[in-house]
């Protein structure tokens, strides 16, 4: 029969999750130990690896759109909240049933990306990383919990291939300034030109594909996208 | 949370001294004549448990640090504390670069800080307060060991979350150490010790690690394999 899409109201969780508290979820010891066949039906060893990572993927809106736009590319969502991860899992399962042969290139894991990114991805593996509407952690003493920081950018640069792109967007201007400052100052990232942004079909998804982005648009808020390239 | 500090032992590279730290106390024995050495510190020494002590490669410097958030640098000719670095957080491990121009220490939040000693002269007559600069971090992890590679090109940091990170130590490290060379991943428990196997063997750069999973692992640290 028809696989019903999961109803968000049964998966609601607080928007803010404490990345410092130790939730218990399995983490691969190394990228070689990550079980691709569990996430991508029909995946054989030796097949291509994950290239896109959506950090803090929320309810999966971006991933679903990317899955269709890049059907030959494997992508993974990473989400800290248990219930939200379950929602995305069920959403993907339902879409695979209603659209056979599609959505087999997208999956999700419950994990803390700020601690375990190198466990999932090898050096230079990713060609795109996404950070959509990250938690602003307004208080000065909580700035170190921000998912993008000068130190964490070292790890993101490590898992990204040279020429790969990091996409960020926020509706919080103070956070946008922080993101731009961190990325501008990091020696392994350079900003992407306006021309390149205009030519990239992914950029439009940053503000339209996700529930968060749609909410901001409904409320007439301003969004601040920033895209940077992993350089040498 | 604050465990009693274990006693630590450090041996001078030319076997001139043995140093033992117990609690907040440092005791130094001159092995040449078997005498105890009196340490000179206008500040009265460390005020809380010492978590790491090391001699520099030539032995001319000795560094101690711990729960009092102080990193003390000692001249081993006079055994005077010649410099103090104040850390924002408790310090749990440290390393001295082979050329003795830099000290790196890790705080309890997993941030590694750098102290620049390039302008240090042993003839300076007063303790200098130096500032440290953060250069890299293991997010919310306790770094158990820091080591510089034998050729000084890399700094290796190991943590309680089973990870070993190998980072390029740049020419100008004050701007941070941003280029990660590799991760050595395989331990299934905290990593507690690191040692380099001299220089390259057959083109492999060898690092040995041990940890809470009761394994000792050999790595080619340039590739992480």
């Amino acid at each position: 029969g028809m696989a019903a899409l999961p109803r968000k109201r049964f998966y609601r969780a607080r928007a803010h999750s404490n990345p410092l508290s130790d939730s218990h979820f399995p983490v691969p010891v190394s990228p070689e130990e990550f079980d691709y066949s569990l996430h991508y039906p029909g995946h054989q060893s030796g097949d291509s690896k994950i290239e896109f990572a959506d950090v803090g993927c929320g309810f999966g809106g971006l991933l679903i759109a990317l899955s269709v736009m890049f059907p030959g590319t494997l992508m993974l969502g990473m989400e800290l909240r248990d219930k939200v991860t379950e929602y995305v899992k069920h959403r993907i399962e339902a879409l695979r049933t209603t659209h056979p042969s599609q959505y087999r290139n997208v999956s999700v894991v419950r994990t803390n990306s700020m601690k375990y990114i190198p466990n999932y991805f090898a050096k230079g593996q990713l060609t795109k990383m996404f950070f959509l509407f990250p938690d602003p952690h307004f208080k000065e003493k909580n700035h170190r919990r921000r998912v993008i920081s000068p130190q964490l950018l070292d790890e993101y640069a490590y898992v990204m291939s040279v020429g790969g792109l990091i996409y960020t967007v926020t509706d919080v201007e103070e956070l946008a300034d922080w993101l731009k400052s961190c990325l501008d100052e990091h020696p392994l990232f350079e900003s992407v030109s306006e021309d390149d942004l205009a030519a990239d079909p992914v950029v439009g998804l940053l503000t339209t594909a996700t529930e968060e982005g749609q909410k901001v648009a409904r409320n007439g808020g301003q969004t601040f996208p920033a895209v940077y390239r992993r350089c040498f | 949370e604050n465990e009693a500090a274990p006693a630590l032992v450090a041996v001078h590279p030319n076997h001139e001294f043995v140093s033992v730290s117990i609690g907040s106390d440092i005791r130094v024995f001159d092995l040449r004549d078997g005498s105890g050495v009196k340490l000179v510190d206008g500040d009265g020494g460390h005020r809380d448990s010492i978590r790491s002590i090391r001699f520099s490669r030539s032995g001319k410097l000795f560094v101690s640090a711990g729960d009092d958030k102080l990193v003390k640098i000692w001249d081993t000719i006079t055994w005077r504390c010649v410099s103090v670095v104040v850390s924002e957080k408790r310090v749990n491990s440290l390393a001295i670069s082979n050329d003795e121009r830099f000290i790196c220490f890790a705080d309890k939040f997993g941030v590694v800080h750098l102290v620049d000693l390039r302008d240090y002269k042993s003839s300076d007559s007063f303790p200098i307060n130096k500032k440290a600069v953060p250069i890299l971090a293991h997010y919310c992890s306790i770094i158990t060991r820091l080591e510089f590679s034998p050729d000084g090109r890399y700094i290796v940091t190991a943590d309680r979350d089973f990870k070993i990170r190998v980072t390029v130590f740049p020419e100008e490290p004050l701007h941070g150490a941003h280029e990660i060379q590799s991760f050595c991943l395989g331990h299934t428990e905290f990593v507690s010790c690191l040692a380099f196997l001299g220089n390259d063997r057959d083109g492999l750069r060898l690092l040995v690690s041990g940890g809470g999973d009761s394994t000792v692992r050999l790595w080619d640290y340039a590739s992480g394999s």
Side-chain angles (χ1 to χ4, degrees), chain B residues 57 98 145 147-151 156 193-210 216-222 225:
Chain B
R57 184 181 248 190
N98 301 318
R145 283 295 283 249
E147 295 291 340
F148 284 90
S149 63
D151 60 9
V156 181
C193 35
L194 294 174
F196 287 92
L197 288 178
N199 294 314
D200 295 3
R201 308 272 172 96
D202 306 320
L204 292 178
R205 297 164 170 267
L206 297 176
L207 172 73
V208 182
S209 64
V216 174
R217 293 174 193 255
L218 182 67
W219 311 90
D220 167 29
Y221 62 86
S225 61

Side-chain angles (χ1 to χ4, degrees), chain A:
Chain A
M2 274 277 277
L5 286 171
R7 304 290 296 279
K8 275 188 196 153
R9 79 164 100 107
F10 300 122
Y11 296 82
R12 283 294 171 208
R14 289 169 54 245
H16 304 286
S17 203
N18 185 351
L20 303 180
S21 68
D22 247 332
S23 331
H24 297 285
F25 42 80
V27 176
V29 172
S30 67
E32 295 74 43
E33 305 295 318
F34 182 69
D35 192 343
Y36 273 71
S37 63
L38 227 60
H39 289 272
Y40 305 102
H43 190 273
Q44 309 289 336
S45 76
D47 284 353
S48 60
K49 302 260 176 269
I50 295 164
E51 285 186 42
F52 297 174
D54 184 353
V55 179
C57 66
F59 291 93
L62 176 70
L63 285 168
I64 301 302
L66 287 171
S67 172
V68 172
M69 195 182 268
F70 297 91
T73 304
L74 295 185
M75 53 197 73
L76 187 69
M78 310 177 91
E79 172 56 55
L80 194 60
R81 294 167 289 175
D82 199 9
K83 280 189 243 175
V84 176
T85 312
E86 287 307 297
Y87 172 87
V88 179
K89 249 190 226 166
H90 294 150
R91 185 176 183 185
I92 294 171
E93 279 164 13
L95 286 170
R96 285 177 181 171
T97 308
T98 53
H99 299 74
S101 87
Q102 282 190 279
Y103 303 106
R104 297 161 68 85
N105 59 339
V106 58
S107 188
V108 65
V109 281
R110 182 185 178 221
T111 193
N112 184 342
S113 332
M114 295 168 77
K115 291 186 77 158
Y116 302 119
I117 283 247
N119 295 71
Y120 288 91
F121 310 118
K123 188 175 191 178
Q125 181 175 325
L126 300 178
T127 54
K128 292 190 196 298
M129 277 187 94
F130 296 89
F131 297 84
L132 267 54
F133 301 99
D135 193 325
H137 290 292
F138 289 108
K139 290 188 201 164
E140 180 97 32
K141 70 177 171 87
N142 289 338
H143 283 184
R144 60 186 207 89
R145 298 188 195 180
R146 286 176 167 170
V147 70
I148 288 186
S149 70
Q151 288 89 17
L152 282 167
L153 282 174
D154 296 348
E155 294 195 9
Y156 306 152
Y158 170 81
V159 295
M160 290 191 73
S161 62
V162 175
L165 296 174
I166 185 171
Y167 297 81
T168 72
V169 69
T170 180
D171 57 330
V172 179
E173 186 159 10
E174 179 206 322
L175 184 66
D177 292 342
W178 165 271
L179 295 175
K180 182 174 190 309
S181 153
C182 287
L183 284 157
D184 280 343
E185 281 174 24
H186 199 280
L188 300 177
F189 289 100
E190 63 187 9
S191 69
V192 170
S193 71
E194 289 294 323
D195 287 344
D196 287 344
L197 286 181
D200 187 346
V202 170
V203 173
L205 296 179
L206 299 181
T207 47
T208 59
T210 62
E211 182 190 76
E212 190 67 41
Q214 288 154 17
K215 195 197 310 180
V216 171
R218 274 199 304 275
N219 298 336
Q222 199 183 349
T223 54
F224 306 93
V227 183
Y228 282 71
R229 181 179 298 113
R230 180 7 175 147
C231 59
F232 200 61

Side-chain angles (χ1 to χ4, degrees), chain B residues 6 42 46 52 56 76 81 84 90 96 126 136 148 154 184 194 222:
Chain B
H46 282 283
S52 188
S56 67
T76 61
C81 175
V84 178
R90 293 199 291 261
I96 308 167
F126 47 87
L136 66 89
F148 284 90
Y154 302 101
C184 300
L194 294 174

